[in-house]
Amino acid sequence: MIRRLGNVFVLDTPNTTYAFGVIPSGQLEHLYYGERIVIDTEEEAVVLAEKRLSLPGNTVAYSSEHSNVSLEVLRLEMSGGGKGDVREPFIEVTHADGSYTSDFVFADAKITQGKEPFVTLPGSYEENNQVEELTITMKDHSYDLTVELHYFVFKNQDVITRSAKFINTSDEPVLLDRLMSAQLDFERADFEFTTFHGAWAREMKRHDMSANACKIVNESYCGCSSNRSNPFVMLSKKGTTEDHGDCYGLNLIYSGNHYEAVEVSAFYQTRIVTGINPRSFQFHIAPGEVFEAPEAVMTYSKSGFNGMSQNMHRFVRECIVRGEWKKKPRPVLLNSWEAAYFDINESKLLKLAKAGKEAGVELFVMDDGWFGTRDNDTQSLGDWYPNKKKLPNGLAGLASKVNKLGLEFGVWVEPEMVNVNSDLYRAHPEWVMEIPGKPHSESRTQRILDFSNPDLIEYMTEAMTKVFSDGNIAYVKWDMNRIFSDYYSPCLPPERQKEVAHRYMMGLYKMCDTLMSRFPHILFEGCASGGNRFDLGILCYFPQIWASDDSDAIYRVNGQTGYSYGYPMSTVSAHVSDCPNHQTLRKTPMASRFQVAAFGVLGYECNLCEMNSEDVKDIKEQIALYKEWRDVLQYGSFYRGRAYDNVYEWTVVSPDKKKAVGFEMQVLFNPNTHFETYTPKGLDEDKKYLFTNRQLQINIKDFGGLINQVIPFHIKPDSLLHNVAAKLVKLPGEKEYCIANGKTLMESGVHLKQGFGATGYAEDIRFTTDFASRMYFMEEVSNTMESEHIE
Ligand code: DGJ
């Protein structure tokens, strides 16, 4: 709910309050953001405001009438530069007279119901449009310019979003050098700033930094939100744990260059801003023109990182992801990439699809290599017509054959890129982001199409429309495989070149808007060399994203944990792949590959036709199990348990809390650690649950020569006999079984069966090797079921 109490604005969500007020000099003083508090009158808000009597030494008075106001020591809702606040600004404008001081003060406020879509950018929404909006109009009277600050309060979510609009209400053109989306000022300087970094094949590693002085910047200059630094960040009070402590989460609904800076001021106050990266950004705004900043998402929880993640997950599921696939079970897919790379043809693909069907796969995806003369990555991007040698019956022919096998069919595209060796580049070199006449830096031998060019957008929208209508296409993987360099649009004049990166995003979003409305039934999956563009902007169009090219379970357990801080698992696509893994050459147990991937949107990316029968059988069982628990795994509430001491622990709980799935992985085997617990989270304290595990089979070869200590004859390790015995004899893994109350399970943890400790084999021992993991199931039991089980 939004209330205006005189000069104070109070924004309440079910569990949080955000408040600010207009001070006599006209600025907006930030008063509070945190756990829900009661403010009934303007007078009651006095307690939240800074008390100013005189000017701190060596600071600047805002004006002679307000000689006790230094903007440097105020907590502000938006800050310009040049009037005494020397911290990170919210806005920077270069005026026609060359000055770049901004002085925006309060002019007007309006509270409205419902949320209108943004004009140039994607934004959040609410199905019943029960969003309340507060629009604050700020005016810079010196230059007759306007900024609108928009606050959106989601009645059913503990989320407030913010955005800003710059309107040139003057009669002279100006240069907009920066416009942030949100600014949050706190009166304290003891936060931890948590960001998520990485690179290709190792995305989303969590980093915690103490913000005690100076400035820490999390940003992308890659042209996309990037695998280097994700736009999702957290600020938490020192000592915050997964389940306790104050935690703020911020994200940006934007897929381009972003910027999140945390600055601790000389007066021990902390400011965080988030928005478009001001580096190489400058927009020419003519009189009457408007510039929209992307929407920033903010949430707060006092229940630690998990509490904050729950808010974000709900918000992304309900208010970001949209369309037919929002809540539909996502199909288990088989992707051709790691099975065949570019070496594909119809018969090979159909064999793979058939093997997938037999294993229980629901959707077959033809990845790269199907168009133009795409035999490798040096050619044909841009030439979106099927290669007749590989696909004599075209896309439609292959799709119909795949459909006849009982599978849906999906296809890979990379619409934003072009190879120099392509018909498209030869025909339209001017459609490429290149600096005319200058050498270009290369990446994967491909260049970026200039999405600030409306002609290109129109052409590519039609080209994609043709591909997506060519046969029964149920799924599209939309890839984007290089970062930006040589920023330049041949269609823009020299003085507008710093608009390119943002114009690219607006162009891309425009194309996505058109294609989503033309193809509402298609399930789109975003991808950018894996997780190079995993953000809320993309999720407004594509409900799921290929989170990393690295499907190695040991990387993934960390990467998926990283994603889980800001994104729900229904957005994270995860595949079981070959062993050794193609990115790490690591050998991990099949069980762990599945058990990690199962916590995302499960797929397979391996050559099922060449796998041994044991693995294929295993995969069949995995898929059957996944389907049984899919609703919980894809749409349940995901909680992190331990993610240290070599152990990862996850729990996902169905919305009605009747079912839950647990996961535990020990990364490296720790000798003589027999006793382990798994502690679920998010269960109903008052429900009783039957706790079981996914019982594994132990390969006797895992014991190596130790086998000779327990059998009456001798087997040479890795001999033919050893291999045959391993094929014929499997030892049953431990069986977990208990019935307990939800609260008991969460408070005490489940004390698991004793682990292997080099002291011999005993039946029902929890046999763990390096990279071993376990999957647990919890189901509510009724009282009658309970007595049946006991009998
Ligand atoms: C990069 C993607 O991340 C891979 O999954 C695959 O689609 C390749 N591109 C194809 O070129």
Side-chain angles (χ1 to χ4, degrees):
M1 194 170 61
I2 303 178
R3 285 169 300 144
R4 180 174 186 169
L5 308 169
N7 278 321
V8 171
F9 297 89
V10 182
L11 288 63
D12 287 320
T13 70
N15 296 295
T16 69
T17 296
Y18 187 108
F20 59 90
V22 185
I23 58 172
S25 50
Q27 286 79 21
L28 301 180
E29 181 186 14
H30 177 79
L31 296 175
Y32 178 82
Y33 185 33
E35 198 189 352
R36 185 148 176 181
I37 53 173
V38 179
I39 309 171
D40 287 330
T41 60
E42 190 177 8
E43 291 67 46
E44 281 179 30
V46 169
V47 71
L48 306 168
E50 234 81 70
K51 309 296 179 294
R52 287 173 295 276
L53 292 173
S54 64
L55 205 65
N58 194 226
T59 63
V60 172
Y62 168 61
S63 66
S64 43
E65 298 111 279
H66 301 283
S67 55
N68 66 336
V69 175
S70 160
L71 298 185
E72 187 179 352
V73 294
L74 264 170
R75 289 170 295 157
L76 295 166
E77 285 296 301
M78 75 165 282
S79 172
K83 299 301 286 179
D85 187 358
V86 291
R87 297 168 290 175
E88 271 290 316
F90 185 85
I91 186 165
E92 284 182 287
V93 182
T94 305
H95 307 107
D97 64 4
S99 84
Y100 39 89
T101 286
S102 282
D103 184 12
F104 286 92
V105 290
F106 177 80
D108 194 16
K110 197 168 69 186
I111 298 172
T112 48
Q113 298 294 323
K115 185 173 189 281
E116 291 298 317
F118 287 32
V119 178
T120 58
L121 296 168
S124 65
Y125 73 106
E126 215 264 319
E127 247 155 41
N128 305 315
N129 210 1
Q130 290 186 342
V131 183
E132 267 186 299
E133 178 176 1
L134 169 63
T135 306
I136 301 279
T137 304
M138 304 287 286
K139 284 267 181 203
D140 184 339
H141 297 293
S142 307
Y143 292 96
D144 210 8
L145 297 172
T146 306
V147 165
E148 282 178 9
L149 298 177
H150 296 266
Y151 297 80
F152 302 99
V153 175
F154 289 76
K155 199 173 153 207
N156 302 316
Q157 317 280 342
D158 279 317
V159 163
I160 293 173
T161 68
R162 278 190 66 174
S163 174
K165 244 186 224 171
F166 177 82
I167 308 162
N168 186 350
T169 34
S170 77
D171 48 20
E172 285 183 310
V174 295
L175 296 172
L176 183 64
D177 297 309
R178 110 160 30 199
L179 182 65
M180 290 290 114
S181 298
Q183 169 178 326
L184 261 180
D185 280 4
F186 297 93
E187 65 285 331
R188 44 193 299 157
D190 60 350
F191 284 106
E192 288 288 302
F193 184 40
T194 303
T195 52
F196 296 85
H197 300 277
W200 174 75
R202 54 177 164 82
E203 295 87 347
M204 288 303 273
K205 183 156 174 47
R206 173 179 157 176
H207 289 268
D208 299 319
M209 287 154 281
S210 291
N212 301 126
C214 71
K215 195 185 291 181
I216 310 173
V217 172
N218 180 68
E219 65 175 338
S220 165
Y221 191 62
C222 296
C224 48
S225 47
S226 94
N227 47 27
R228 276 61 165 184
S229 299
N230 194 273
F232 168 72
V233 297
M234 305 192 288
L235 268 186
S236 58
K237 289 205 183 140
K238 285 215 165 43
T240 296
T241 63
E242 284 292 357
D243 302 304
H244 303 282
D246 298 87
C247 181
Y248 299 86
L250 284 95
N251 208 340
L252 199 62
I253 308 183
Y254 193 57
S255 314
N257 289 337
H258 61 90
Y259 182 83
E260 294 74 37
V262 171
E263 181 173 6
V264 175
S265 76
F267 297 91
Y268 308 111
Q269 292 171 323
T270 304
R271 168 171 297 173
I272 180 164
V273 296
T274 173
I276 296 176
N277 195 340
R279 180 174 168 197
S280 310
F281 170 92
Q282 187 181 62
F283 252 72
H284 288 245
I285 315 281
E289 278 183 354
V290 177
F291 182 91
E292 283 181 321
E295 189 177 355
V297 177
M298 310 184 297
T299 191
Y300 161 83
S301 170
K302 71 169 188 170
S303 305
F305 303 120
N306 268 318
M308 184 282 308
S309 296
Q310 290 302 312
N311 295 350
M312 277 292 182
H313 292 179
R314 252 194 323 270
F315 183 76
V316 175
R317 279 198 305 257
E318 294 298 329
C319 306
I320 295 288
V321 174
R322 60 202 72 196
E324 285 187 18
W325 285 95
K326 179 172 176 170
K327 290 190 176 156
K328 257 202 206 167
R330 311 282 170 77
V332 178
L333 65 79
L334 172 64
N335 177 297
S336 67
W337 181 238
E338 289 194 7
Y341 293 100
F342 293 102
D343 188 15
I344 54 173
N345 59 52
E346 190 182 275
S347 80
K348 206 177 195 176
L349 291 169
L350 285 171
K351 271 194 204 124
L352 191 58
K354 189 162 175 281
K357 173 69 190 170
E358 281 160 12
V361 158
E362 296 158 313
L363 164 70
F364 179 73
V365 180
M366 173 173 66
D367 208 281
D368 201 349
W370 61 268
F371 49 91
T373 54
R374 184 81 170 163
D375 295 329
N376 51 53
D377 63 12
T378 65
Q379 57 204 26
S380 287
L381 279 178
D383 301 342
W384 296 109
Y385 42 84
N387 176 314
K388 283 286 174 185
K389 273 199 210 131
K390 294 180 182 180
L391 305 180
N393 304 301
L395 275 182
L398 176 61
S400 109
K401 288 184 184 172
V402 169
N403 288 164
K404 278 197 190 114
L405 290 173
L407 292 168
E408 297 286 5
F409 176 72
V411 69
W412 177 96
V413 292
E414 191 174 1
E416 297 158 71
M417 299 287 158
V418 67
N419 288 119
V420 169
N421 184 5
S422 68
D423 295 343
L424 182 67
Y425 186 87
R426 283 182 282 271
H428 287 286
E430 78 286 5
W431 281 356
V432 177
M433 210 187 263
E434 284 176 358
I435 311 171
K438 302 286 184 272
H440 197 282
S441 299
E442 300 296 341
S443 179
R444 213 192 187 208
T445 48
Q446 63 194 50
R447 297 198 183 168
I448 302 185
L449 286 167
D450 176 14
F451 271 78
S452 44
N453 184 334
D455 295 341
L456 177 265
I457 297 172
E458 201 186 316
Y459 171 86
M460 199 45 78
T461 306
E462 293 318 312
M464 286 301 119
T465 299
K466 199 154 172 250
V467 172
F468 303 162
S469 335
D470 192 0
N472 188 14
I473 312 276
Y475 161 104
V476 167
K477 177 175 173 188
W478 183 304
D479 207 345
M480 190 273 191
N481 279 306
R482 67 159 290 175
I483 61 167
F484 287 35
S485 66
D486 307 86
Y487 285 86
Y488 198 91
S489 163
C491 81
L492 291 174
E495 68 279 10
R496 285 191 177 263
Q497 289 303 327
K498 287 188 174 169
E499 298 182 10
V500 170
H502 183 63
R503 282 190 181 277
Y504 180 97
M505 291 319 312
M506 293 191 292
L508 173 66
Y509 291 142
K510 185 166 184 258
M511 170 153 102
C512 289
D513 268 331
T514 314
L515 291 171
M516 297 308 110
S517 60
R518 283 187 191 169
F519 299 96
H521 308 311
I522 291 183
L523 169 62
F524 283 86
E525 176 161 331
C527 173
S529 306
N532 201 25
R533 202 166 59 182
F534 200 112
D535 58 67
L536 299 183
I538 288 300
L539 288 171
C540 286
Y541 301 99
F542 310 154
Q544 60 190 54
I545 301 178
W546 177 224
S548 175
D549 271 359
D550 192 344
S551 47
D552 170 64
I554 306 310
Y555 153 67
R556 274 287 182 149
V557 75
N558 190 278
Q560 288 177 207
T561 299
Y563 280 113
S564 78
Y565 282 91
Y567 303 92
M569 286 298 122
S570 54
T571 64
V572 176
S573 112
H575 295 177
V576 173
S577 62
D578 238 335
C579 186
N581 177 272
H582 289 199
Q583 289 73 41
T584 60
L585 298 183
R586 189 159 26 219
K587 295 182 184 158
T588 51
M590 174 60 103
S592 288
R593 280 178 272 154
F594 163 66
Q595 285 160 187
V596 173
F599 280 76
V601 177
L602 179 71
Y604 287 79
E605 186 153 344
C606 43
N607 195 341
L608 286 175
C609 302
E610 289 180 1
M611 268 188 167
N612 67 50
S613 53
E614 238 173 70
D615 282 349
V616 172
K617 185 169 162 264
D618 204 350
I619 288 177
K620 206 171 176 170
E621 284 165 15
Q622 292 168 5
I623 297 178
L625 180 71
Y626 182 79
K627 287 178 181 167
E628 211 180 300
W629 289 85
R630 165 162 45 193
D631 52 342
V632 186
L633 288 161
Q634 289 184 355
Y635 291 105
S637 304
F638 178 92
Y639 297 85
R640 291 170 302 275
R642 279 177 296 170
Y644 52 85
D645 289 348
N646 201 26
V647 172
Y648 287 85
E649 212 174 27
W650 297 334
T651 306
V652 57
V653 185
S654 66
D656 60 7
K657 299 195 181 209
K658 287 186 173 175
K659 285 173 163 190
V661 186
F663 168 85
E664 189 168 273
M665 173 182 273
Q666 164 196 258
V667 179
L668 291 179
F669 177 67
N670 196 7
N672 201 11
T673 52
H674 303 248
F675 306 104
E676 186 58 77
T677 52
Y678 157 73
T679 309
K681 293 186 179 177
L683 302 178
D684 186 329
E685 294 196 343
D686 301 321
K687 283 190 176 27
K688 275 208 192 314
Y689 294 91
L690 168 65
F691 179 91
T692 55
N693 64 329
R694 173 169 187 241
Q695 199 188 5
L696 302 174
Q697 293 204 311
I698 301 170
N699 184 339
I700 58 166
K701 276 196 75 185
D702 288 346
F703 292 96
L706 265 184
I707 191 170
N708 291 311
Q709 305 302 312
V710 289
I711 55 169
F713 53 93
H714 190 86
I715 291 185
K716 192 174 162 222
D718 212 23
S719 60
L720 181 67
L721 183 59
H722 199 186
N723 284 314
V724 172
K727 247 193 158 27
L728 298 176
V729 184
K730 291 274 179 295
L731 297 175
E734 86 283 5
K735 223 174 172 175
E736 302 286 355
Y737 176 92
C738 66
I739 291 178
N741 172 274
K743 186 162 188 186
T744 311
L745 289 171
M746 293 190 289
E747 293 299 327
S748 119
V750 180
H751 290 72
L752 302 169
K753 290 278 163 70
Q754 183 171 349
F756 176 75
T759 49
Y761 173 79
E763 215 182 306
D764 223 20
I765 204 155
R766 195 167 39 83
F767 180 66
T768 48
T769 55
D770 285 352
F771 316 140
S773 68
R774 292 293 188 273
M775 202 170 190
Y776 301 112
F777 303 99
M778 286 145 275
E779 264 184 287
E780 185 188 12
V781 285
S782 62
N783 289 340
T784 46
M785 271 171 82
E786 193 188 344
S787 53
E788 274 165 26
H789 279 286
I790 288 163
E791 279 157 24

